[in-house]
Amino acid sequence: MVTLAEVAQHAGVSASTVSYVLSGKRSISATTRQRVEQSIRELGYHPNAGARALASSRSNIIALVIPLRTDMYVPVMMEIAIAVATTARLHGYDVLLLTGEEGPDAVRRVTGSGLADAMILMDVELDDERLPLLREADQPSVLIGLPADTTGMTCVDLDFTATGALCVEHLAMLGHRDIAVIGEAPAVYERHTGFAERTLDGLRSRARALGVRVLHRPCEGGYDALTVTLARVFDERPGTTGFVVQNESAVEPLLALLRQQGRAVPEDVSVVAVCPDQVAVQASVRLTSVAIPAQEMGRRAVEHLLTKLEGRGNEDIVLLAPELVVRASTGPAPVAP
Amino acid sequence: MVTLAEVAQHAGVSASTVSYVLSGKRSISATTRQRVEQSIRELGYHPNAGARALASSRSNIIALVIPLRTDMYVPVMMEIAIAVATTARLHGYDVLLLTGEEGPDAVRRVTGSGLADAMILMDVELDDERLPLLREADQPSVLIGLPADTTGMTCVDLDFTATGALCVEHLAMLGHRDIAVIGEAPAVYERHTGFAERTLDGLRSRARALGVRVLHRPCEGGYDALTVTLARVFDERPGTTGFVVQNESAVEPLLALLRQQGRAVPEDVSVVAVCPDQVAVQASVRLTSVAIPAQEMGRRAVEHLLTKLEGRGNEDIVLLAPELVVRASTGPAPVAP
DNA sequence: AAAGGCTGTCGAAGCGCTTCGACACCTATG
DNA sequence: CATAGGTGTCGAAGCGCTTCGACAGCCTTT
């Protein structure tokens, strides 16, 4: 293993000079710099992470806490994680992957040990028990998701309230008056993950404003669960012509069942989905949808974290504006028979 | 930030004694140990990771290199990553998340900087350019996937050859004589990721032995691509009654199209999938399938890595035996009309 | 009773780096 | 020409921990 001292000797300068070449914190003459850089290349030198962390008390590592559950939005989580890792690398940081399993202990461990300089938490619950710890930690953090109390926190999320409103608007504009919402599994609501409720809020309040009726049903993924849910929907609201789906694993079953019941999409029934674009375009009917901008969320989270690490920037809520893309699953409401 | 020295002072012992209490590398009297542990708890001490890494030249971190592409098997990757993180924590290790983006440089960086003690690489290509680096590195590594040349490497993977064979066997036993394989996207084969080819090999050689005909078609996900592929299959082999699908995003389209064409599953056509269980049970027909044991792969990879870190264990190929679970998508071949 | 072996604790060195103050040298200024 | 102010480089201290050798005190063994 090559050390700073060896590089210094090889280049005929002192260790501190090499350090300053590396960090750029003091001016170094062009000739010296080149000589040092040459030595670094020749010897294949890589600074030792531990020593660096110890001396500078910065690890250049960002901790990313991902949810342990893999019951929903897996591709979204993955995409966020990859975006976080990629963006972090771009700025010279590495990413430490923690699962939600450890709970608050993970926060204590990271802040206490100096393992990471900052943390990003995904899948924050409305009343997350890690929040108090983060508030009093001296390490910056960014949440992906929106807890109930955001004081002192920086959060990045899709504006789910606006998303809900957008979906209703689109359907209302097409003349739909009775809308059903197929939501996430009941467990997701019970867990108070926030985004599901917020979508619903946005949806309902805009529906009220537009004079549209909304029926909401949480739903497990898969065909069996959806068969039951759909039957209940049409039972209670036979005139339903618009659907909003916020549950990846309910998308395809919904389309299949509608088809099976002789309800054509979009002639008889319109469907708007809240899902990754890939799901929307690969579905059996290309879905009008609001995408979840996973990459952007990951990128923004890291960038915000970095400005906080630099002392600039601070408490802040970033809500990404939803975009509805019209595809083949929505059309004018059928004229009443 | 609490330091070892502060704990030592608080407990009225020397720093080294605290260190030995923590590491257990020398015997400590029960009373001293308790006093120290008490102080640690009271002060909320966490060892500083950088200092520890520097002094011991072990970071207690495992690097996990995940593929950058999110075009396939995303849930599987995620599940592996989570299993790796969880298992690692169980043994006192943390996980550093690297994307394939950096290529061989990632390996150099990690080995050079002592950032991690060992690495796990996912999505290894048959002739991966990182392999030579890993061979000469003094850090242990484990591959998830099987490259062409495995000398000096430890690999963990599903036995895809056996998987292919198992699928054919099952269909052959049910009397199917003409089998079509719907594979991954052509790009996956071009990239030489290995597992796709191995499945095909196992499939073909067992088919030959059993006197079954096999037609293989790579296929992009989604309905459009599958419509074309399926038409070609039935065009070339009208008597096809068995399908093996190894492409998550082709599963549902296949079922839908078959249904649409009036081919009942499993009465007219049988379908076996190679996919995560979740996909198999959530499909519109509960699929007979060979699961990809993502959790197990992640767990085994970490455990192997740890034995290598301890100096025990070494070069080794672990092929997990596939298990075929019969569900509702396969049945006896229809009697010829 | 002396020699030897354990056990439990301590002090000190050192891991590889960053960073502060010092200082030699050079150039502009009065 | 002496002085002030930059530049560019160096030496040394110290980050918080692990680990090695030393050794005091005790218990066996001969």
Side-chain angles (χ1 to χ4, degrees), chain A residues 172-204:
Chain A
M173 228 172 52
L174 289 168
H176 298 273
R177 287 284 158 266
D178 258 312
I179 293 176
V181 181
I182 308 295
E184 296 284 353
V188 174
Y189 293 90
E190 281 154 23
R191 184 196 300 159
H192 298 298
T193 317
F195 78 91
E197 273 100 336
R198 283 186 285 130
T199 310
L200 217 48
D201 289 348
L203 226 142
R204 284 192 176 132

Side-chain angles (χ1 to χ4, degrees), chain A residues 78 85 94-95 97, chain B residues 61-67 77-85 88 94-100 106 110 116 118-123 130 142-144 298 301-302 305:
Chain A
M78 190 78 186
D94 273 297
V95 171
L97 186 70
Chain B
I61 288 181
I62 293 174
L64 174 67
V65 188
I66 60 169
M77 309 260 113
M78 190 78 187
E79 219 177 309
I80 293 180
I82 291 182
V84 166
D94 273 299
V95 171
L96 199 73
L97 185 71
L98 305 175
T99 65
V110 167
M119 27 192 345
I120 296 177
L121 281 79
M122 297 175 58
D123 197 35
R130 295 168 296 192
V142 168
L143 311 181
I144 294 185
V302 172
L305 206 51

Side-chain angles (χ1 to χ4, degrees), chain A residues 31-55:
Chain A
T31 56
T32 307
R33 184 201 319 289
Q34 278 160 22
R35 207 141 35 85
V36 170
E37 281 166 353
Q38 175 67 19
S39 297
I40 289 177
R41 249 174 285 121
E42 275 181 39
L43 300 179
Y45 169 71
H46 285 269
N48 177 354
R52 197 166 241 197
L54 177 56

Side-chain angles (χ1 to χ4, degrees), chain B residues 10-86:
Chain B
H10 186 273
V13 297
S14 74
S16 46
T17 300
V18 177
S19 179
Y20 287 124
V21 167
L22 249 28
S23 69
K25 292 191 180 174
R26 285 201 182 173
S27 56
I28 298 285
S29 69
T31 56
T32 307
R33 184 201 318 292
Q34 279 161 20
R35 207 141 34 85
V36 170
E37 281 166 352
Q38 176 66 20
S39 297
I40 288 178
R41 248 173 286 120
E42 273 181 38
L43 301 178
Y45 169 72
H46 285 269
N48 177 54
R52 194 166 245 197
L54 177 57
S56 65
S57 37
R58 317 258 280 73
S59 63
N60 274 261
I61 288 181
I62 293 174
L64 174 67
V65 188
I66 60 169
L68 192 59
R69 315 182 188 86
T70 50
D71 60 346
M72 50 167 249
Y73 281 104
V74 179
V76 176
M77 309 260 113
M78 190 78 187
E79 219 177 309
I80 293 180
I82 291 182
V84 166
T86 310

Side-chain angles (χ1 to χ4, degrees), chain A residues 19 27 32 63 143 178 197 207 209 213 226 231 274 277 283 295 297 308:
Chain A
S19 179
S27 55
T32 307
L143 310 181
D178 258 312
E197 273 100 336
R213 294 210 297 172
L226 201 76
V274 179
D277 271 339
Q295 302 222 117
M297 285 162 66
K308 284 180 94 174

Side-chain angles (χ1 to χ4, degrees), chain B:
Chain B
M1 184 176 238
V2 189
T3 69
L4 227 213
E6 293 173 308
V7 173
Q9 191 177 10
H10 186 273
V13 297
S14 74
S16 46
T17 300
V18 177
S19 179
Y20 287 124
V21 167
L22 249 28
S23 69
K25 292 191 180 174
R26 285 201 182 173
S27 56
I28 298 285
S29 69
T31 56
T32 307
R33 184 201 318 292
Q34 279 161 20
R35 207 141 34 85
V36 170
E37 281 166 352
Q38 176 66 20
S39 297
I40 288 178
R41 248 173 286 120
E42 273 181 38
L43 301 178
Y45 169 72
H46 285 269
N48 177 54
R52 194 166 245 197
L54 177 57
S56 65
S57 37
R58 317 258 280 73
S59 63
N60 274 261
I61 288 181
I62 293 174
L64 174 67
V65 188
I66 60 169
L68 192 59
R69 315 182 188 86
T70 50
D71 60 346
M72 50 167 249
Y73 281 104
V74 179
V76 176
M77 309 260 113
M78 190 78 187
E79 219 177 309
I80 293 180
I82 291 182
V84 166
T86 310
T87 311
R89 275 310 305 145
L90 226 53
H91 297 273
Y93 281 81
D94 273 299
V95 171
L96 199 73
L97 185 71
L98 305 175
T99 65
E101 196 184 31
E102 279 184 273
D105 285 350
V107 177
R108 284 196 203 93
R109 204 161 59 81
V110 167
T111 56
S113 67
L115 244 181
D117 297 333
M119 27 192 345
I120 296 177
L121 281 79
M122 297 175 58
D123 197 35
V124 187
E125 303 193 358
L126 275 183
D127 187 23
D128 204 293
E129 49 176 343
R130 295 168 296 192
L131 295 190
L133 288 170
L134 290 175
R135 287 208 182 83
E136 66 191 28
D138 37 25
Q139 298 198 340
S141 53
V142 168
L143 311 181
I144 294 185
L146 220 51
D149 178 7
T150 60
T151 49
M153 300 271 84
T154 299
C155 309
V156 174
D157 206 356
L158 175 61
D159 188 340
F160 279 100
T161 314
T163 299
L166 198 55
C167 292
V168 173
E169 248 165 51
H170 177 68
L171 289 174
M173 228 170 53
L174 290 167
H176 299 272
R177 286 286 159 266
D178 259 312
I179 292 177
V181 181
I182 308 295
E184 296 284 353
V188 173
Y189 293 90
E190 281 154 22
R191 185 195 299 159
H192 298 299
T193 316
F195 77 91
E197 275 101 335
R198 284 187 284 129
T199 309
L200 216 49
D201 289 349
L203 226 141
R204 285 195 176 129
S205 73
R206 183 56 54 92
R208 214 171 302 122
L210 295 173
V212 170
R213 295 208 299 170
V214 167
L215 191 69
H216 169 244
R217 291 287 173 268
C219 184
E220 304 279 352
Y223 282 81
D224 299 346
L226 200 77
T227 307
V228 176
T229 305
L230 197 59
R232 281 184 54 200
V233 167
F234 281 123
D235 201 37
E236 296 176 42
R237 294 269 171 89
T240 301
T241 60
F243 281 87
V244 176
V245 195
Q246 183 173 209
N247 182 336
E248 275 177 47
S249 53
V251 163
E252 203 48 54
L254 175 64
L255 294 174
L257 284 172
L258 288 173
R259 206 177 300 132
Q260 196 179 308
Q261 298 178 357
R263 302 180 202 261
V265 173
E267 290 80 1
D268 302 325
V269 170
S270 286
V271 176
V272 179
V274 179
C275 67
D277 271 339
Q278 215 205 350
V279 172
V281 303
Q282 281 207 349
S284 52
V285 179
R286 291 167 47 84
L287 292 170
T288 295
S289 71
V290 175
I292 299 174
Q295 300 224 115
E296 170 110 11
M297 285 163 66
R299 219 199 58 227
R300 295 285 285 268
V302 172
E303 284 167 358
H304 250 76
L305 206 51
L306 294 179
T307 67
K308 285 179 93 174
L309 273 171
E310 287 164 12
R312 307 180 291 114
N314 42 41
E315 161 180 13
D316 203 353
I317 310 295
V318 180
L319 289 184
L320 303 178
E323 281 180 44
L324 186 141
V325 176
V326 179
R327 297 200 185 84
S329 68
T330 51
V335 274

Side-chain angles (χ1 to χ4, degrees), chain A residues 122-143:
Chain A
M122 298 175 59
D123 197 36
V124 187
E125 303 192 358
L126 274 183
D127 188 22
D128 203 295
E129 50 177 342
R130 295 168 296 192
L131 295 189
L133 288 170
L134 290 175
R135 287 208 181 84
E136 67 192 27
D138 38 26
Q139 298 198 340
S141 54
V142 168
L143 310 181

